[in-house]
Amino acid sequence: MTVPTTVDVLIVGGGPAGALLGCLLARRGIEVLHVEKQSSLERDFRGETLAAPSAVTLRRLGFDAALKAHGYLETSSVTMRMEGRQVFTIDYAKFPIGALPIDIPQPALIGIFQQAARAEPTYHYAASTNCTGLIEQGGQILGAVLKCSDGSRVEVRSRLVVGADGRFSKVRKAAGLEATITPMGRDFLSFKLPRPADWGNQAQLVVNQDKHLVVLPTFPDFLRIGHNLPKRGLGDVRKEGFDAFRNGIAAIDPRLRPLLHEFLTSFDDTSFLEIFTAELDQWARDGLVLIGDASHTVTPILGQGVNLAIQDVVCVAPVIAGALKKSHQQLQAAEFDAFVADRKAHKAQVTRYQRIQEAALGAQTPFAVRARRARYSALNALPIKYRVFGKVINAPHPIDPVDLRTGASESAVRAAA
Ligand SMILES: Cc1cc2nc3c(=O)[nH]c(=O)nc-3n(C[C@H](O)[C@H](O)[C@H](O)COP(=O)(O)OP(=O)(O)OC[C@H]3O[C@@H](n4cnc5c(N)ncnc54)[C@H](O)[C@@H]3O)c2cc1C
């Protein structure tokens, strides 16, 4: 397509954050150009778990029918097994949020957002279009430079550039916004296996000493399994050979042995993820704001990445819409102060919990392993476990979100119901 060269908002990145924002802004009649460097939405081993608050949000935003038409899987609970014993369970139905986490492939979710966006005349989408730099003058971001699918270079002017370009954000770098990158102690290798019919819908953490597996029921009929590796240890794991790797997994969870031997046949069936967190002091400049992984990369623990991205979007969309209405200038960084403060608090809470959990999972000495098991067993017996976990996985929206179809605030919608 020929990209428009002047728009209200240019969104860089076609992940869940960029796709939902494009849709919500276009629903409000805002002229949006949304660019994605990949030619297709296909992406495997990406966030497929949608935490319950996001499931609620998407229903409120009118996506329920499309989600149901595609199909998804509801996760009933999370259990932890340590050294062969089940020590901890959280039943998701016991949270008062009124929804369960759902599992849906990321391409499907993004496709649902895009389909809704494409129904709006002010939404323009360009695939195979790479943002290669920003246009800056007098300290303000005025737009971006794009390399289009036909190889041409186009300058697009916009009153706001949104960097939704993920954990290695080029927009962030081009804007000179510094991220503090903190590597986690271990990395992750993921793969999928067919899910046995009687497996159930619980997410499971299977821990043995300092090794663990995250075993997630995945739509439509898979198990998505993540295995921790020593930091930058992929080379060593490969050197030891595929059989040793596969036998190591089976030793952690012997139930998987037959499936592993039948369906996991080489390292090509696996996907590597380097685990780190990224934190930024500043998420916005005049004419630019970052959302999703570009502004706050978290770890895969408890599958919060997509949730944070979606909550960013529902919080920032009304801010952008309001600021565009207020003046005809570039959107000023100060417009985003409250948004950034609120979203940072949510992200910090998630990261804090993930660090505690990661430290527990990395326990190595026999004493630390026993103490960990005792701690989780004790916590399991206490109803307070729902308060502790609920604070992280079901954190309420920090800003009263707005029904973006009608423009009414959610409290007004509830009051009218
Ligand atoms: C292996 C793995 C497993 C995960 N599992 C989970 C999970 O179960 N649950 C969960 O909630 N989260 C999970 N996450 C995290 C989750 O995928 C991310 O948090 C989420 O996708 C962030 O969405 P985003 O839109 O901010 O960024 P992304 O999804 O990363 O999207 C960014 C997009 O920007 C595009 N882009 C990058 N640079 C440019 C450029 N210069 N120009 C144009 N486009 C560009 C990229 O191609 C990409 O499509 C996982 C992540 C990984 C890698």
Side-chain angles (χ1 to χ4, degrees):
M1 78 172 266
T2 319
V3 298
T5 50
T6 309
V7 287
D8 294 324
V9 179
L10 168 62
I11 302 172
V12 180
L20 181 60
L21 184 65
C23 172
L24 298 191
L25 294 182
R27 273 184 186 175
R28 290 175 159 241
I30 293 167
E31 249 349 283
V32 174
L33 173 60
H34 181 199
V35 301
E36 163 58 47
K37 70 177 179 186
Q38 304 292 343
S39 57
S40 98
L41 301 178
E42 283 316 313
R43 36 175 73 197
D44 215 352
F45 297 112
R46 302 300 298 269
E48 302 191 18
T49 307
L50 213 55
S54 284
V56 172
T57 299
L58 295 187
R59 284 174 192 142
R60 286 185 182 150
L61 291 172
F63 292 110
D64 200 26
L67 289 168
K68 281 192 178 133
H70 177 275
Y72 53 80
L73 186 150
E74 288 184 322
T75 311
S76 59
S77 58
V78 58
T79 64
M80 283 191 207
R81 291 174 74 79
M82 292 183 176
E83 290 78 49
R85 279 181 250 168
Q86 183 156 323
V87 294
F88 189 82
T89 306
I90 289 280
D91 178 356
Y92 285 134
K94 292 202 171 158
F95 290 110
I97 189 164
L100 294 173
I102 66 177
D103 191 279
I104 181 165
Q106 210 178 90
L109 185 68
I110 296 169
I112 286 169
F113 297 156
Q114 274 201 2
Q115 198 184 0
R118 286 196 159 116
E120 307 295 336
T122 54
Y123 178 78
H124 313 275
Y125 181 70
S128 306
T129 300
N130 195 345
C131 172
T132 56
L134 296 172
I135 305 168
E136 191 173 342
Q137 200 177 24
Q140 307 221 43
I141 308 296
L142 303 180
V145 182
L146 306 178
K147 188 166 177 226
C148 299
S149 52
D150 61 2
S152 61
R153 180 183 174 280
V154 174
E155 287 194 2
V156 174
R157 305 273 160 164
S158 62
R159 292 173 56 204
L160 181 73
V161 174
V162 180
D165 53 340
R167 62 205 315 251
F168 300 110
S169 173
K170 198 176 246 177
V171 170
R172 178 174 82 201
K173 203 164 170 207
L177 297 177
E178 282 286 320
T180 304
I181 308 287
T182 311
M184 281 295 202
R186 294 149 348 136
D187 291 328
F188 224 56
L189 209 60
S190 302
F191 54 90
K192 281 183 178 172
L193 297 173
R195 187 170 79 250
D198 57 353
W199 190 271
N201 281 10
Q202 62 284 69
Q204 300 179 32
L205 188 61
V206 186
V207 189
N208 193 1
Q209 318 290 325
D210 63 340
K211 297 189 169 55
H212 73 267
L213 300 177
V214 182
V215 186
L216 302 172
T218 292
F219 182 84
D221 51 10
F222 294 105
L223 292 174
R224 191 159 35 108
I225 299 176
H227 175 42
N228 70 286
L229 298 180
K231 197 78 197 163
R232 291 184 255 302
L234 183 60
D236 290 340
V237 170
R238 279 178 170 272
K239 255 188 230 149
E240 282 169 22
F242 181 70
D243 281 343
F245 165 73
R246 197 166 51 176
N247 289 337
I249 306 270
I252 302 170
D253 191 344
R255 297 171 303 170
L256 297 175
R257 191 180 296 278
L259 291 172
L260 287 163
H261 278 271
E262 195 175 351
F263 298 104
L264 192 70
T265 56
S266 82
F267 281 118
D268 293 345
D269 296 332
T270 68
S271 166
F272 175 72
L273 179 65
E274 189 189 347
I275 309 286
F276 61 82
T277 59
E279 279 137 309
L280 280 84
D281 283 340
Q282 202 186 332
W283 294 17
R285 287 188 49 191
D286 294 346
L288 179 133
V289 68
L290 301 176
I291 60 169
D293 272 18
S295 59
H296 50 62
T297 309
V298 294
T299 84
I301 289 173
L302 287 179
Q304 289 294 303
V306 177
N307 185 38
L308 287 165
I310 287 176
Q311 302 309 328
D312 281 357
V313 171
V314 291
C315 292
V316 83
V319 176
I320 295 174
L324 284 170
K325 263 199 204 136
K326 246 184 3 204
S327 98
H328 294 285
Q329 309 299 314
Q330 294 307 103
L331 265 57
Q332 298 298 293
E335 299 281 358
F336 297 101
D337 284 353
F339 159 77
V340 172
D342 284 327
R343 299 306 302 139
K344 269 189 184 173
H346 184 185
K347 193 269 174 184
Q349 191 174 36
V350 169
T351 301
R352 215 165 24 246
Y353 174 84
Q354 290 181 330
R355 291 212 171 110
I356 293 169
Q357 180 85 329
E358 173 61 20
L361 292 174
Q364 285 184 340
T365 65
F367 174 76
V369 166
R370 273 202 310 278
R372 173 183 64 197
R373 213 166 47 232
R375 231 178 15 252
Y376 277 97
S377 296
L379 182 59
N380 191 44
L382 303 173
I384 197 178
K385 68 182 177 181
Y386 282 99
R387 286 250 302 279
V388 174
F389 270 74
K391 257 179 141 174
V392 181
I393 60 175
N394 292 332
H397 312 157
I399 295 172
D400 187 22
V402 161
D403 180 321
L404 290 143
R405 239 176 226 294
T406 61
S409 82
E410 202 173 293
S411 45
V413 171
R414 268 201 304 271

